Amino acid sequence: PSLAVRMYNIHDVQRLEKEVSSDNNSHDDTNGGVDGLKHLRASYEHAIVFFILSSVHQRDQLGRRDSFFHQAQRTNIRIFIVTDVSQAISAMSSIVQSLAPEKREKKRNYFAQIAEQNYLPSSVVRGGVEPTPETIANHAKEAMIAWAERMEMQTGDVNVALDMMGSIAAVATASNRDLDNIPITTASKDVIRHFFGRIAREEKEGGVVDNDNNLEADSELFGDIDD
């Protein structure tokens, strides 16, 4: 999921309150709300705002109905108010961890949808006759080759991987050692590692799964999968 973070300190708050007081239209809905926060919320799946304020300034912002903090709240964006940067970083870490399972669920739903669309197409099922296991296997291999082309893998690498590993499932859950023993390009190995995720391989190898790193690696290589 896409994530945007914005932070305000007391100097930002004081400056923006002056701007709002001098221009009554600056926080209209047509201008994206106060400091464009409505546009920020609408542009990202997850938008978060941190107010980094001392206890004194927190009481001031919370106690005044016309404060910048309360104006930001009216945009319905997700807001955290903390006393220092370390608290903001800790909160962001927790948020990212909470997003990882959600991202994985989206990927599972996405692959399930693709499988439903592509498995046993009408061109394979002819005259209502159930296809043979060989026909199903050939269709699955063709789909895997088409996937490799979309991922711009080196020509022939996916065939080598399938021949040596024996099945698509074996390729998808191959350990890093398994992949290292296959004579294909490093770029193709990286595509397989990142696309299918590392949970199954690391559990097989007795490693520790790092959801934050998985999320970052997947996003860098493939971007976000939208609903």
Side-chain angles (χ1 to χ4, degrees), residues 105-121:
E105 182 62 27
K106 279 190 174 184
K107 289 177 73 174
R108 282 193 291 270
N109 292 337
Y110 171 78
F111 293 133
Q113 181 181 6
I114 294 299
E116 184 178 351
Q117 291 174 351
N118 292 280
Y119 188 61
L120 301 181

Side-chain angles (χ1 to χ4, degrees), residues 25-204:
N25 294 324
S26 64
H27 57 281
D28 288 347
D29 286 346
T30 55
N31 293 322
V34 60
D35 200 30
L37 290 180
K38 285 192 174 182
H39 286 331
L40 181 69
R41 187 196 67 192
S43 299
Y44 294 87
E45 187 173 354
H46 300 277
I48 302 167
V49 171
F50 286 92
F51 282 80
I52 305 177
L53 304 172
S54 68
S55 299
V56 172
H57 290 127
Q58 285 187 25
R59 287 194 293 270
D60 172 68
Q61 287 292 304
L62 292 169
R64 288 190 293 111
R65 292 176 59 86
D66 63 342
S67 68
F68 178 75
F69 175 82
H70 283 302
Q71 291 182 49
Q73 277 191 317
R74 296 186 192 109
T75 65
N76 294 323
I77 200 167
R78 189 175 182 183
I79 293 177
F80 291 83
I81 185 166
V82 296
T83 57
D84 56 44
V85 174
S86 64
Q87 289 184 350
I89 293 174
S90 178
M92 278 193 291
S93 177
S94 297
I95 292 166
V96 169
Q97 290 178 17
S98 71
L99 294 179
E102 179 181 331
K103 181 181 179 69
R104 296 189 186 286
E105 182 62 27
K106 279 190 174 184
K107 289 177 73 174
R108 282 193 291 270
N109 292 337
Y110 171 78
F111 293 133
Q113 181 181 6
I114 294 299
E116 184 178 351
Q117 291 174 351
N118 292 280
Y119 188 61
L120 301 181
S122 56
S123 59
V124 174
V125 181
R126 297 174 180 172
V129 179
E130 186 72 17
T132 65
E134 290 78 13
T135 301
I136 295 173
N138 288 335
H139 175 67
K141 185 174 182 179
E142 290 173 3
M144 188 72 175
I145 293 172
W147 165 82
E149 292 176 351
R150 290 197 299 273
M151 294 297 104
E152 298 183 351
M153 288 176 61
Q154 181 73 29
T155 302
D157 275 2
V158 71
N159 287 321
V160 173
L162 288 171
D163 289 342
M164 293 196 67
M165 298 300 297
S167 69
I168 294 174
V171 172
T173 59
S175 68
N176 289 320
R177 286 189 295 271
D178 291 335
L179 292 175
D180 288 340
N181 291 328
I182 300 175
I184 61 177
T185 62
T186 300
S188 293
K189 293 176 184 178
D190 288 341
V191 168
I192 293 172
R193 286 189 180 102
H194 289 298
F195 188 87
F196 291 107
R198 296 180 296 198
I199 290 181
R201 286 190 294 277
E202 291 184 351
E203 287 180 348
K204 182 188 294 185

